Amino acid sequence: MKHEISNELYDRAVNLMPGGVNSPVRAFGSVGMKPLFIDRAKGSKIYDADENEYIDYVCSWGPCILGHAHPKIINAVKDACDKGLTYGAPTEKEVLLTGMIREIMPSMEMMRLVNSGTEAVMSAIRAARGYTGRDMIVKFKGCYHGHSDGLLVKAGSAALTSAVPDSDGVPKSYTDNTLIALYNDENSVRELFDKYGDNIACVIVEPVAANMGVVPPKKGFLEFLRKITEKYDSVLIFDEVITGFRLGLGGAQEYFNIKPDMTTLGKIVGGGMPMAAYGGRKEIMECVSPVGKVYQAGTLSGNPIAVTAGIAALNVLIENTHIYDEIAAKAEKIADALRKTGAYVNQIGSLLSGFFTEREVVDYDSAVSSDTVKYAEFFKYILEKGIYIAPSQYEAMFVSSAHTDEDIDKTCEIIKNFAAR
Ligand SMILES: *Cc1c(COP(=O)(O)O)cnc(C)c1O
């Protein structure tokens, strides 16, 4: 397999963008090779600049649950483009999309459309603080909620891989109000509430952690968060940027039957375009400007092209909810193959991760006990055979409805060959 053109592009890119990329994990830093530059993608396949074909399990880090370039989304976007790319004024489609989202997730009584998951989370927390009049927030070690200042404390994803849990450039005072609890550890949360309960505005959690690799919640953990936040009148925020429309149409809140006060969405909701949303109980969202005094705005928020892509994607999902069982069954097959490599595997729905560790992976500390050198070896082996997974131990594998049975069989065989070699 040749990577000549990718390597050439990288050599140019690295002088133009830090690491040659626009988001750190793309730089392939933790697998010790130059990144692949992508030319195009269709269905389950992605093609690099050297014309190599791969079965893609990155799926743009989650959005592409229907595979790449789904014709219904592409055609809708093409039509929408003829009417102009942005107006900075309300449109009928925003009413349609937010109505669809509320139908799917009734806990989102009111919402705002924004441009990225980072922005959604940042804004949701501001609303929770405005609503409660409190400053402190609780987040979990290893959960990732975007790159806003106050949340870059024991973040997940690339912040984990590059072993810089805290970012330079964030004043200490910005994270003073961020309290860190341990995922799946009720006591760590209880201790924070015992101490600071009356000043905790919100608890934010990935209901299925997927940015330290996939780590599902232990039985009762989310129920516990629901109860303790109710007891202290704190806002419970489910960051469903990955799990929304992924774990099932109604996301983790439907899957586990727990109603959060607020929800953040991203990735799938934009159908592959940059869009995200935050919302929740009406009385909280009515704190947002111009109704209330929590300021939040956006020049391109609710962009008509992104909204069009989101509507098209959600419509396909609404009409084809059978895909959820199908992609989960496919993920299960891959999980079984991964176990043959000796990895500890977490799989829930179409999300999975194989951790090269002897330990059971239930939280941040057990996740980082993984042998990342072995992961890099695994990554390179299967990449060379045409399987594209995240270039980092601490990201999920995403299965899409475009993955065929042949794709899955081929993937499993290559994984088993790695195990047997
Ligand atoms: C990806 C992600 C974000 C950040 O979204 P961006 O669109 O990358 O800013 C926030 N929360 C979770 C759970 C995510 O997976």
Side-chain angles (χ1 to χ4, degrees):
M1 196 176 272
K2 287 200 175 112
H3 301 308
E4 276 164 28
I5 300 176
S6 273
N7 290 347
E8 235 168 74
L9 288 170
Y10 174 75
D11 293 341
R12 281 164 61 195
V14 83
N15 289 311
L16 295 163
M17 293 164 276
V21 294
N22 283 308
S23 195
V25 73
R26 298 179 195 173
F28 278 34
S30 53
V31 292
M33 61 181 278
K34 292 180 179 180
L36 298 180
F37 281 66
I38 303 304
D39 177 58
R40 64 185 191 281
K42 178 78 191 158
S44 62
K45 308 287 188 345
I46 195 162
Y47 301 84
D48 69 17
D50 293 272
E51 284 297 322
N52 299 306
E53 178 188 282
Y54 308 89
I55 303 172
D56 176 27
Y57 293 99
V58 179
C59 289
S60 191
W61 310 97
C64 303
I65 191 169
L66 298 168
H68 292 281
H70 191 284
K72 289 223 165 114
I73 303 176
I74 298 295
N75 290 333
V77 164
K78 280 181 177 164
D79 287 347
C81 285
D82 289 336
K83 296 169 88 174
L85 299 181
T86 175
Y87 323 120
T91 62
E92 182 182 4
K93 281 184 179 167
E94 290 167 78
V95 184
L96 264 175
L97 178 61
T98 51
M100 287 169 79
I101 294 172
R102 186 172 68 180
E103 188 87 5
I104 293 168
M105 288 186 188
S107 73
M108 294 182 77
E109 296 167 4
M110 290 183 90
M111 71 198 80
R112 267 277 163 85
L113 301 178
V114 293
N115 305 289
S116 70
T118 296
E119 203 187 341
V121 170
M122 185 184 84
S123 310
I125 288 175
R126 188 179 299 152
R129 282 174 162 155
Y131 171 72
T132 56
R134 301 173 180 179
D135 290 339
M136 289 180 161
I137 66 171
V138 174
K139 88 169 275 288
F140 293 90
K141 195 176 177 185
C143 281
Y144 179 67
H145 304 291
H147 64 89
S148 65
D149 285 331
L151 291 166
L152 285 179
V153 191
K154 299 288 184 292
S157 270
L160 263 188
T161 320
S162 47
V164 193
D166 305 311
S167 168
D168 280 4
V170 177
K172 170 77 182 73
S173 59
Y174 284 37
T175 54
D176 281 351
N177 286 307
T178 309
L179 307 171
I180 306 295
L182 303 179
Y183 197 77
N184 276 332
D185 181 343
E186 296 184 11
N187 272 332
S188 71
V189 181
R190 208 175 280 119
E191 276 169 26
L192 292 176
F193 272 95
D194 281 348
K195 225 168 163 178
Y196 305 108
D198 294 335
N199 197 24
I200 294 175
C202 64
V203 171
I204 182 156
V205 66
E206 288 181 77
V208 171
N211 284 288
M212 47 179 154
V214 174
V215 181
K218 280 186 183 162
K219 203 169 172 347
F221 180 63
L222 297 174
E223 287 83 352
F224 164 78
L225 295 182
R226 179 63 285 180
K227 279 207 192 95
I228 197 160
T229 45
E230 252 163 24
K231 182 174 165 201
Y232 286 89
D233 290 321
S234 277
V235 174
L236 178 62
I237 307 176
F238 273 9
D239 182 349
E240 296 229 41
V241 169
I242 284 186
T243 52
F245 317 110
R246 162 70 62 185
L247 230 42
L249 189 60
Q253 51 199 274
E254 180 186 71
Y255 191 94
F256 296 108
N257 191 25
I258 295 173
K259 195 174 171 189
D261 301 301
M262 297 190 80
T263 301
T264 54
L265 298 171
K267 301 190 169 121
I268 291 174
V269 78
M273 296 289 288
M275 192 175 65
Y278 75 98
R281 274 163 45 204
K282 188 162 182 265
E283 54 180 332
I284 302 174
M285 290 307 290
E286 281 185 339
C287 295
V288 176
S289 180
V291 181
K293 290 182 178 166
V294 173
Y295 192 69
Q296 183 266 312
T299 302
L300 291 172
S301 291
N303 171 267
I305 311 302
V307 168
T308 298
I311 291 173
L314 292 193
N315 269 330
V316 175
L317 291 171
I318 289 165
E319 287 160 16
N320 296 279
T321 46
H322 58 90
I323 72 153
Y324 289 105
D325 284 343
E326 292 162 13
I327 54 181
K330 286 172 185 171
E332 220 175 297
K333 278 193 176 171
I334 297 175
D336 285 340
L338 274 172
R339 286 189 185 101
K340 301 229 162 41
T341 68
Y344 182 85
V345 180
N346 278 328
Q347 176 254 326
I348 177 166
S350 55
L351 293 169
L352 72 153
S353 287
F355 300 87
F356 292 107
T357 176
E358 307 285 301
R359 291 174 64 179
E360 186 188 4
V361 177
V362 295
D363 58 11
Y364 175 86
D365 288 340
S366 43
V368 296
S369 72
S370 299
D371 180 349
T372 52
V373 174
K374 176 121 191 233
Y375 184 87
E377 197 188 314
F378 174 65
F379 171 85
K380 285 184 198 156
Y381 180 92
I382 66 172
L383 185 79
E384 194 64 25
K385 307 266 186 293
I387 310 291
Y388 185 76
I389 61 170
S392 159
Q393 169 76 77
Y394 303 111
E395 305 284 353
M397 255 176 108
F398 295 95
V399 179
S400 80
S401 63
H403 286 109
T404 62
D405 290 334
E406 295 84 76
D407 289 335
I408 302 297
D409 290 346
K410 181 179 170 192
T411 304
C412 290
E413 196 181 307
I414 290 167
I415 293 172
K416 285 176 192 162
N417 290 342
F418 173 81
R421 95 211 176 285

